[in-house]
Amino acid sequence: MAEHKQSVEQQYEDQLRGAADGNGIAAYVLHRAKPHLPPWLATGGLGLAGALGSLQWQGSAAAGVGLTLASVALTGVTWWAGKTTGQQRRLHSAITVAAGSAWLTGACLAGPLTGPLPDLYLMGGPALALSWNIRMVLRRNVDGAPAGSTDKGLLEKVGLARAQIGATTVEPNRVTAKMALEAGEQTNEDVAKVLPRLASALDLPTSAVRYLGDPSSARRGELVIVPEDMLAQVSDWPGPSNLGASIAEPLVIGRYDDGSPLVLWLPGDPEIKRNATHVLIAGGTGSGKGETALNLMTEILSRRDVLLWVSDPKMFQDFRPLLPGMDWAAEGGPDTEVMVEAIKAVIPARTRWLGAHSYRQWTPNAAQQQTSPDHTCRPDGRPCGCPGMPFLVAWQEEAANTLRALGDDAFTGIAQEARSAGVALVVSLQRPSYDQMSTSTRASLPSVIALGCDPRDEGFSLPDTVIDAGAHPGAWGNRRPGYCYVVSPGIAEDRYPSPGRTFAVPHTAIPTMEALAAWAQRHGATADPITAGAASAVAGQNYTGRPTTGSGPAPRPASEEGYGVEPESHGLLTDPEDASIDPEAELPDGQDGDDTPLWESPGYKPSPAEARELFARALDDFESDGQMVVGPKDFMDWCDRHNLSRPWVSERLKEAALDGRLEPTSATGRWRIVPSLMAA
């Protein structure tokens, strides 16, 4: 651009220097007049042709017929050839050819100087030439936008002939043109309707053409065309984009069709007024939903101030290498029920802590040790010294299973309340239709990664405005894995209808993911006391937090072989009588008076007091086994063994809830066990 400007200035200086002599002036005038000479040359050529034709055909009847037919034919061809141009140009061309050919016919038959022919030539010829000069001048717009844009024919084909194309910006693989529609006749919705036809006229895929309406105008916007699909070439996962950074930094999960990075944010940023968000990942079978999840999950685990809780009914088939880096992993079923209830309990505990430390929303400073004297958690005004609170991502993979088990509004309360608590909910499922999740939950998931789907399901994933702008994930189906649209706070709205593609995660990336999980164990955040305490109060031993590096099987006792003491040897403190006991000998049979309860005997029906004691022990057994959500169906074998009925168990469950040993869940007939210490 600078070189072009310099050359223009140099030409202008040369013209000023040349203006001092006649040669410079003549050259400048000739240069400026060249574009306007063709009509005048054609007029002169017409007069010469008439003079020469009169020498050959003057007074010939046969020549008159031939010249007349040629004149009509030439005018008709001009009209036919002009059908691809504008109506004005077509009419102007046909009139010019008809007038010129009529004069030429008369001049050849009667002579160019006969009757009114010379006057017609001297007046009509310059008039026609000037009309074309005027037309050429008017084609130039002093505002910089061509008045007769070369796109007029294209817009006319799609029904937008009266639309005006303004300033155009050309970037690598992206053309953006300002568009103004006819006032009172066309709206931005009209452009959205013709985008498929516009893509057809340009011989491009539908997703390559989109229109972004101006929010402040109903007839102005920007037409964006991406001529080359840069997503056709698969890009492998390059690894974490920003290892060790804060979760508040952008998460890179792929690239757009113009080559720019595909990013999103989870926490909010009060300085730039960006809201925190929850994410919906939606896509049909084979659309690349698993690899998309891996891209986002690895980015989360590579950050220093975030905890990741994941529920996956598929037993972590895709995410197995990342398991050590997760703070909590649940394999569906009752474990997921417990996790959902724990998230509900964690939210008010975290908001209470954030409020006490003067945070209106989670920021990276909240993850650091608190030293500000302004915090109100200590009444004496001294710095509190509380450990920081990491950001929390609660991930529900294959969430349709959880929603079927817990109800379509299982995540509604979480989605509506979690953002202010520094908790981001990620829900991944194939079809986010209203028969799968409630409309309230869907409305509370402002961010979406929409992968290929059935065309009828587009409206379940993307807002109508984004679809109207040209986004159509239904056009991909499962034929283009990883292709997606991302709608999320922090992303420019003109990017919403731009397709992107997430990175492919090949099998060879497993060692890198395992190394990333090990890094998260060593350098990642650990659960703060508030979050860990609230989770443990609900989940008991089900919540253990992220395993520490080097954790493995417990060391063997000193009496085992290999630890320096032989099993047969006797230490200094061994009783001599004990040394004579054969450790392999069988114990004697039980005698009368043993402490075996009668209710353990086959066929014995316990008394009401015994049955209640048995029920209390059963709850303790469930808790020790890590099953923190129970219902009558979990006691079926137990009822058969102790000759008790299922209705009796249902009544005992209700009594236990009144006593504080159980709490109801969002699913009818399911109860959450309150850990023993909490119940006491």
Side-chain angles (χ1 to χ4, degrees):
M1 181 63 70
E3 295 178 355
H4 176 69
K5 181 178 180 181
Q6 184 177 3
S7 64
V8 172
E9 293 175 350
Q10 184 64 37
Q11 292 176 6
Y12 182 67
E13 291 176 0
D14 293 342
Q15 292 170 2
L16 290 179
R17 285 196 298 268
D21 58 85
N23 292 334
I25 295 176
Y28 173 75
V29 171
L30 180 61
H31 174 73
R32 299 295 296 177
K34 279 181 181 180
H36 304 281
L37 289 179
W40 296 95
L41 295 177
T43 301
L46 183 65
L48 181 60
L52 295 176
S54 66
L55 299 177
Q56 180 69 26
W57 296 311
Q58 186 171 358
S60 173
V65 174
L67 289 172
T68 301
L69 292 176
S71 175
V72 173
L74 186 59
T75 303
V77 169
T78 303
W79 180 261
W80 172 81
K83 66 179 183 180
T84 58
T85 64
Q87 188 69 19
Q88 294 178 352
R89 178 182 289 272
R90 187 183 189 187
L91 184 61
H92 193 184
S93 301
I95 292 174
T96 301
V97 171
S101 60
W103 184 90
L104 180 63
T105 300
C108 290
L109 296 177
L113 301 178
T114 302
L117 289 177
D119 296 329
L120 290 174
Y121 177 79
L122 293 175
M123 291 185 292
L128 286 175
L130 284 172
S131 69
W132 282 99
N133 292 158
I134 293 171
R135 185 181 185 89
M136 183 177 296
V137 171
L138 291 179
R139 289 179 60 188
R140 301 186 60 187
N141 191 332
V142 295
D143 295 332
S149 174
T150 56
D151 295 327
K152 275 296 182 179
L154 176 63
L155 296 178
E156 185 178 359
K157 287 182 179 180
V158 298
L160 298 175
R162 298 178 181 177
Q164 296 293 325
I165 297 294
T168 302
T169 303
V170 180
E171 304 171 80
N173 199 40
R174 183 183 176 96
V175 178
T176 304
K178 300 286 186 182
M179 179 177 283
L181 306 176
E182 186 180 12
E185 296 292 335
Q186 298 170 325
T187 65
N188 291 334
E189 287 75 13
D190 295 325
V191 183
K193 294 176 182 178
V194 302
L195 286 179
R197 286 191 289 166
L198 189 58
S200 175
L202 295 170
D203 195 18
L204 293 173
T206 306
S207 59
V209 181
R210 46 247 187 201
Y211 179 76
L212 310 172
D214 186 345
S216 62
S217 174
R219 67 179 190 92
R220 297 184 183 274
E222 291 183 343
L223 182 65
V224 180
I225 301 174
V226 180
E228 180 184 356
D229 184 7
M230 297 182 64
L231 304 179
Q233 184 67 32
V234 178
S235 297
D236 288 340
W237 176 60
S241 65
N242 202 350
L243 184 65
S246 171
I247 189 63
E249 298 298 321
L251 308 175
V252 183
I253 61 174
R255 59 175 183 161
Y256 283 106
D257 57 353
D258 61 357
S260 57
L262 179 65
V263 302
L264 71 147
W265 291 260
L266 295 179
D269 188 338
E271 293 186 1
I272 62 175
K273 308 300 181 183
R274 186 187 72 236
N275 291 327
T277 190
H278 305 307
V279 181
L280 171 66
I281 303 177
T285 303
S287 63
K289 189 157 53 65
E291 288 192 337
T292 300
L294 278 173
N295 277 278
L296 183 54
M297 201 174 290
T298 51
E299 283 290 278
I300 293 171
L301 287 178
S302 69
R303 305 308 169 91
R304 67 176 185 270
D305 51 5
V306 61
L307 305 173
L308 180 60
W309 293 359
V310 182
S311 166
D312 184 9
K314 295 194 304 183
M315 311 302 173
F316 295 89
Q317 179 181 5
D318 294 330
F319 313 130
R320 184 67 55 179
L322 301 176
L323 265 177
M326 299 177 187
D327 188 66
W328 188 359
E331 294 185 345
D335 291 343
T336 296
E337 292 185 69
V338 174
M339 178 179 285
V340 172
E341 295 300 323
I343 297 171
K344 293 178 181 178
V346 159
I347 291 172
R350 289 174 63 93
T351 53
R352 188 180 305 111
W353 185 92
L354 289 170
H357 290 82
S358 304
Y359 294 105
R360 298 185 62 185
Q361 67 180 69
W362 188 93
T363 64
N365 291 334
Q368 303 174 6
Q369 185 173 4
Q370 305 302 297
T371 59
S372 173
D374 297 332
H375 296 163
T376 59
C377 60
R378 292 190 61 166
D380 56 6
R382 291 187 295 121
C384 64
C386 294
M389 175 177 286
F391 194 77
L392 174 61
V393 178
W395 191 300
Q396 298 295 320
E397 184 67 17
E398 296 295 342
N401 293 340
T402 303
L403 291 168
R404 282 194 296 268
L406 303 183
D408 62 354
D409 61 346
F411 305 134
T412 300
I414 297 174
Q416 292 176 344
E417 302 169 3
R419 287 191 297 168
S420 61
V423 179
L425 176 66
V426 179
V427 178
S428 175
L429 75 170
Q430 293 185 11
R431 189 172 185 268
S433 57
Y434 302 124
D435 59 346
Q436 299 247 22
M437 66 168 57
S438 69
T439 55
S440 297
T441 301
R442 179 62 189 89
S444 301
L445 300 175
S447 297
V448 61
I449 303 176
L451 295 108
C453 64
D454 188 289
R456 296 168 295 183
D457 294 341
E458 291 180 345
F460 296 138
S461 302
L462 293 173
D464 292 339
T465 54
V466 179
I467 295 176
D468 292 340
H472 293 291
W476 301 325
N478 60 1
R479 297 180 300 278
R480 297 187 179 182
Y483 277 64
C484 62
Y485 296 100
V486 179
V487 176
S488 185
I491 300 177
E493 291 188 7
D494 61 355
R495 280 291 188 185
Y496 289 172
S498 300
R501 189 172 191 177
T502 57
F503 297 120
V505 185
H507 183 75
T508 54
I510 291 180
T512 306
M513 290 190 287
E514 291 175 341
L516 175 61
W519 179 91
Q521 284 184 287
R522 294 192 303 269
H523 305 291
T526 56
D528 58 283
I530 301 300
T531 302
S536 299
V538 172
Q541 64 180 10
N542 269 24
Y543 175 72
T544 58
R546 180 187 291 122
T548 57
T549 303
S551 60
R556 291 178 293 173
S559 60
E560 294 187 5
E561 295 182 349
Y563 278 75
V565 180
E566 296 295 331
E568 293 81 11
S569 64
H570 311 300
L572 296 176
L573 302 180
T574 302
D575 192 318
E577 294 184 3
D578 293 340
S580 63
I581 298 176
D582 182 4
E584 301 297 330
E586 295 184 0
L587 295 175
D589 295 336
Q591 304 294 328
D592 294 340
D594 285 348
D595 294 333
T596 302
L598 292 177
W599 58 65
E600 297 292 344
S601 303
Y604 179 79
K605 184 175 181 61
S607 66
E610 293 171 340
R612 281 179 166 79
E613 183 178 347
L614 281 173
F615 179 78
R617 291 187 179 184
L619 292 180
D620 293 339
D621 292 340
F622 280 122
E623 181 182 352
S624 62
D625 292 339
Q627 183 174 343
M628 302 299 291
V629 176
V630 296
K633 65 179 183 181
D634 299 304
F635 287 85
M636 293 182 65
D637 293 340
W638 182 86
C639 289
D640 294 340
R641 188 166 60 251
H642 296 291
N643 297 310
L644 296 171
S645 66
R646 183 169 174 172
W648 183 88
V649 170
S650 298
E651 291 299 323
R652 301 292 80 73
L653 290 171
K654 295 177 183 178
E655 289 181 0
L658 295 175
D659 293 338
R661 187 68 171 99
L662 300 176
E663 284 191 0
T665 67
S666 56
T668 304
R670 303 293 288 171
W671 304 84
R672 178 176 61 82
I673 298 176
V674 178
S676 299
L677 293 178
M678 298 297 299

